[in-house]
Every structure is written in structure tokens, then in C-alpha cells.
Amino acid sequence: MEKSDRKTMAEKKTILVTGATGAQGGSVARHLLRRGDFAVRALTRDPDSAGARALRTVGAEVVQGDLGDPESLRAALVGAYGVFGVTNFWEHFAREREHGVNLIDAVADSEVEHFVLSTLPHVKQISGGELEVPHFDIKAELEAYAQNRCGRSTALTFVHVAFYYENFLSFFPPRPQKDGTFAFGFPQGDTPLAAFAAEDLGGVVAPLFARPDDFRGRTVGVVGDDRPPAEYARIMTEVLDAPVVYQYVPREVFAGLGFPGAEDLANMFEFNRRFIPNRIEDLTLSRALYPSLQTFEAWLCANRSRFAPILAG
């Protein structure tokens, strides 16, 4: 690297990315690095992991830190202009709240100018107490806490991410049926399900850091496609050359399936079905911020080989 290049790198403002080896943080770190507007400081519990090494190879500064360790967060924030924050309910469950508070407090006590935090709607409030979705509601509580703690001194932007396309590979793969079809099912009914490719999140988030005044105090919904579940099944049928169908599963049935988080997810889909008729405005803004955002069909075509083992049974 030439001396002039080193100077340019040193002059770039730094964005601290938490969860940098995970789906959301990893996408944000990679897209920021590709754009080249900012230097990236990647926070990870294990700086020697394969994911951390890969980020270091493409230009990130990798630092050790843990959302459960406030001192490590304060150290990682020194000199940072911005922060992308994400917490993980499915790994830490109720401790997610503590982790989020630790991060928000550290940002509030730092000189960070722009804080982009991944949160979600407050299902319990919106449904009038009828439904509870802990992995949504905790993030909504953290959003309110961030507004109270950081809102006066820091530009705050919240992102509400949709259902991952990748969930059709992991949590909801099409499973073989006795009649020769493949089926997936959940309590969404015929209401459009907003979804996107996790790898595309950074494409929407990175421009936010370049436009803090435009997105101060705003919530950006990250959506790549918005279709009824039967439409996702139809696209799978065409792209994968296999008969895929969607089966509606009532909330009560899904909640009783017995796996960890079954009721949480059942209520999430029921909330989507009854309270979120569509997310067309979010889809329009996401595409304006990142024109290369993948539709479900485009993502499926690019990932067709990953479905081969599933369809092979």
C-alpha cells in the first residue's frame, strides 16, 4: 500500500460494527468495505475465528469485544464516528435486553455521532396486549431506551429487517409430502410476507451512514420482496423444478409444536397476518437505497444448489 493510500485510510471515519461475523453485522461490514466511504472496525468475541480473519483480509480492523462486557464496548468505541448495533435473541434469549442496554449506554457515553440500531416493532403494544413476541418486543424496548439515552446527542436510525430468504433453507425448508410435493407452512395465511436476503442488509444500511441528516430519527424497514407465502411456493416450484406448496398452519397448532420458540414464532406470523397488510413503502425505500437488492426469485436462482440436498430428501 502506498503512503498516500495509508493516509486516505487513516482519514476515513470509522464505523464500529457489532456482531460482525454474524448475518446482519457481517453484511453491513462487507458492504461498508466495498463502498469505501468509511473505515470498518469489526467487533467479535473471537478475533481468530474464520469469519474474523476473512473480514481482516478485506480491510476491516478486527477487535475483541462482547456485548456482555461493557468495558470492551467502551474501548472499541474510542475514535468511532458511527456504530451499527445488533443483538441476538435466539442465542442469548432474555439476556438480549442486557446486551442491548450495555451497547446503548456505551454509545451514549462516547463521542459517536451516528448510531444505526437493528430493532423491530413492539408486537405487544401494537396488538393491544393480545400477542407477545419476545424477539420483537425486546428489540422494541431497546429502541425506546436508545431514544431516551442517545437521542439528544447522537443521530439515531433504526432498521427493521424482514424475514430472511435464508429461513427457507434452515427453519422452514420445503419438506417432502406423501403426495410427492414439498411443503412449508406457518401461520401467515394469505397476507404478504416481507422478506429479503440477509446478505443484502449492508447494501441498505451503508448509505444511511453517508446521509445522517436524512435519516436522523427515522426507521428504515429492510424489505427485498413482499408476497403471500403461496407466491414464494410458486417461485420455488418454477426455479427449483419441484412441486412446492404452502400450507397454512393455524397459530394455536404452530405454537403447540413444542420446539423452543414455537409460541414466539407463531405469534410473530399471526402478528404479520393481522396487523401488517403489506410493506410496499419499505420495499420502495430499500430499493432506492440499494438498487441491487435481490428479489426472492433472483436470490433463489443464485442459491439453487443449496436446495438440492433438501429436495433430495
Side-chain angles (χ1 to χ4, degrees):
M1 184 182 291
E2 297 294 332
K3 184 176 180 180
S4 60
D5 293 331
R6 287 198 299 269
K7 182 178 179 182
T8 300
M9 287 290 288
E11 290 176 346
K12 288 181 180 178
K13 294 179 179 178
T14 296
I15 305 295
L16 176 70
V17 178
T18 72
T21 58
Q24 291 194 32
S27 175
V28 171
R30 288 188 294 272
H31 278 272
L32 283 168
L33 289 165
R34 286 175 198 151
R35 284 175 61 97
D37 299 335
F38 297 94
V40 173
R41 183 178 298 160
L43 185 78
T44 177
R45 286 174 292 182
D46 183 5
D48 295 320
S49 69
R53 292 197 302 271
L55 287 172
R56 193 179 289 114
T57 298
V58 293
E61 173 194 3
V62 177
V63 298
Q64 194 280 331
D66 190 327
L67 295 182
D69 178 4
E71 289 303 319
S72 72
L73 299 178
R74 293 189 182 94
L77 284 166
V78 173
Y81 159 78
V83 174
F84 173 75
V86 59
T87 52
N88 190 336
F89 175 85
W90 295 110
E91 182 178 1
H92 303 288
F93 294 94
R95 286 197 69 201
E96 179 186 24
R97 184 181 287 102
E98 172 194 336
H99 289 177
V101 167
N102 287 343
L103 177 61
I104 292 163
D105 284 346
V107 170
D109 294 336
S110 74
E111 297 183 357
V112 166
E113 296 181 37
H114 193 183
F115 185 18
V116 178
L117 182 61
S118 180
T119 59
L120 287 166
H122 203 306
V123 172
K124 189 174 182 179
Q125 285 186 358
I126 295 170
S127 68
E130 182 181 346
L131 300 170
E132 291 187 48
V133 179
H135 84 276
F136 273 52
D137 294 341
I138 290 174
K139 289 183 176 65
E141 291 166 10
L142 291 173
E143 179 174 314
Y145 185 73
Q147 289 170 333
N148 289 330
R149 203 58 182 85
C150 308
R152 295 180 182 176
S153 59
T154 305
L156 279 174
T157 306
F158 302 105
V159 291
H160 288 182
V161 302
F163 184 87
Y164 295 169
Y165 297 153
E166 289 84 353
N167 287 335
F168 288 118
L169 286 164
S170 53
F171 295 108
F172 304 103
R175 300 186 184 280
Q177 307 297 302
K178 291 181 180 179
D179 63 0
T181 64
F182 295 84
F184 64 88
F186 35 67
Q188 183 73 23
D190 297 325
T191 303
L193 175 66
F196 80 112
E199 65 196 85
D200 286 346
L201 174 63
V204 177
V205 170
L208 304 179
F209 284 110
R211 299 167 56 187
D213 291 338
D214 291 340
F215 292 98
R216 177 188 287 269
R218 291 181 62 181
T219 298
V220 176
V222 183
V223 177
D225 220 330
D226 193 36
R227 300 172 180 271
E231 276 290 291
Y232 290 107
R234 179 189 63 77
I235 292 169
M236 287 185 192
T237 297
E238 294 178 357
V239 173
L240 301 177
D241 194 25
V244 179
V245 297
Y246 166 67
Q247 296 177 341
Y248 170 64
V249 181
R251 190 207 73 81
E252 295 78 10
V253 174
F254 194 98
L257 291 178
F259 63 86
E263 185 171 10
D264 184 307
L265 292 174
N267 285 345
M268 177 192 75
F269 286 114
E270 183 74 355
F271 171 72
N272 288 340
R273 183 179 75 83
R274 293 173 50 199
F275 294 94
I276 311 294
N278 68 72
R279 292 185 63 180
I280 298 303
E281 290 184 4
D282 290 339
L283 175 59
T284 301
L285 177 57
S286 293
R287 291 202 178 284
L289 287 166
Y290 184 48
S292 297
L293 199 67
Q294 296 172 88
T295 63
F296 179 66
E297 183 173 2
W299 175 84
L300 192 61
C301 288
N303 289 273
R304 188 178 326 177
S305 63
R306 299 173 67 185
F307 282 86
I310 296 172
L311 299 178

